[in-house]
Amino acid sequence: MKWIDSLDIALCLLETFPDVDPQQVRFTDLFDWVIALEGFDDDPEHCNERILEAIQSHWIEEY
């Protein structure tokens, strides 16, 4: 997965953290969790707030 795969990342986060309310997740934690996901393979330097917002938004929709 790459940073552009925000929906796939959100679905993986939902599976990995089923009891976490995505509305309560800080971007610093979200960033750390994403780069630790199995199958995630992108440069951490390519992340920005807009990308994290997209991931969190998808996660909220699927939650």
Side-chain angles (χ1 to χ4, degrees):
M1 285 180 290
K2 304 289 185 194
W3 288 114
I4 61 170
D5 302 318
S6 56
L7 178 57
D8 293 333
I9 292 170
L11 293 173
C12 285
L13 289 167
L14 182 61
E15 290 177 15
T16 305
F17 304 102
D19 297 328
V20 172
D21 180 352
Q23 295 182 35
Q24 304 301 318
V25 176
R26 297 178 300 172
F27 279 172
T28 53
D29 292 331
L30 181 58
F31 174 84
D32 291 340
W33 294 350
V34 170
I35 62 172
L37 286 174
E38 185 176 330
F40 182 79
D41 183 31
D42 204 348
D43 186 347
E45 297 293 320
H46 291 159
C47 182
N48 59 42
E49 187 172 329
R50 186 171 149 218
I51 291 171
L52 293 173
E53 286 174 350
I55 293 168
Q56 188 177 41
S57 177
H58 283 301
W59 191 3
I60 291 167
E61 289 174 13
E62 297 299 323
Y63 185 72

